[in-house]
Amino acid sequence: RSEFKGGQIFKSPVKISDNGSLYALTNENNLWKANVDGSSEIYDLQITNLNAEILSYDNGFYIADGSVLSFILNREKVRIKIDFDSPIKSLSYASGFLAVLTSSSLYLLKDNKLMEGFPIDTDGYFNIFDIDNDGKLNLINIKNRFIYNYKLIY
């Protein structure tokens, strides 16, 4: 059992990173990161959007602040220069791709670069996996009650 000092109030669910750290956004829009030994750190992210999103990846964190996407590694914040059509609603990571969802579009990034052919329109329901077991990834996307299957070429 681990106990963390300096109790925080969180506005996002506490998540677990790939390396086993706990992380969440506090009510003050800071990143709280904790380890199983009971130690914790606070990162001042200077977030302006109340609906900011955070996602752990490769010992760093993606931060969606309105229509701005940044990556933080070792307390260094780097803005990813992509113009999103509206504020970012969610971030997810699957099979080597970062999926960025806005109100009506899906952006797919590989190595922090927008994949060719993206963004695409979406209703917000999608998944990335090898649907036909041919060793190539598919993007399954729903738009206007239709299901679309895209073969990802990268």
Side-chain angles (χ1 to χ4, degrees):
R1 175 178 158 177
S2 295
E3 215 173 283
F4 300 101
K5 307 285 186 229
Q8 297 293 322
I9 298 174
F10 302 111
K11 69 182 224 174
S12 71
V14 175
K15 299 176 186 175
I16 302 173
S17 70
D18 289 340
N19 65 8
S21 297
L22 303 175
Y23 68 97
L25 288 177
T26 69
N27 275 359
E28 292 81 31
N29 283 332
N30 293 321
L31 167 62
W32 174 81
K33 181 181 169 194
N35 299 304
V36 294
D37 65 3
S39 64
S40 63
E41 298 177 81
I42 298 287
Y43 294 70
D44 181 6
L45 300 177
Q46 300 175 353
I47 291 176
T48 58
N49 188 300
L50 295 176
N51 298 315
E53 291 285 326
I54 187 165
L55 178 68
S56 172
Y57 172 71
D58 198 25
N59 295 319
F61 298 92
Y62 281 104
I63 307 291
D65 184 9
S67 297
V68 175
L69 180 65
S70 301
F71 186 72
I72 295 176
L73 182 62
N74 299 326
R75 295 192 176 268
E76 209 170 300
K77 189 174 182 180
V78 177
R79 181 176 177 186
I80 297 170
K81 295 180 172 49
I82 296 174
D83 292 323
F84 297 98
D85 60 1
S86 61
I88 298 167
K89 290 176 63 175
S90 71
L91 300 171
S92 59
Y93 191 79
S95 303
F97 294 93
L98 176 67
V100 180
L101 185 64
T102 66
S103 61
S104 63
S105 299
L106 174 62
Y107 295 75
L108 201 60
L109 285 70
K110 179 90 171 153
D111 300 323
N112 293 337
K113 293 184 176 41
L114 187 63
M115 295 281 299
E116 186 177 335
F118 286 87
I120 60 173
D121 292 339
T122 186
D123 289 340
Y125 304 104
F126 66 92
N127 208 330
I128 300 171
F129 56 95
D130 182 4
I131 193 170
D132 51 6
N133 295 317
D134 66 354
K136 297 177 182 165
L137 293 173
N138 302 77
L139 170 68
I140 306 302
N141 179 44
I142 297 177
K143 179 65 180 171
N144 296 328
R145 300 184 313 189
F146 287 92
I147 297 174
Y148 296 89
N149 177 9
Y150 301 91
K151 178 98 39 198
L152 296 178
I153 300 170
Y154 51 96

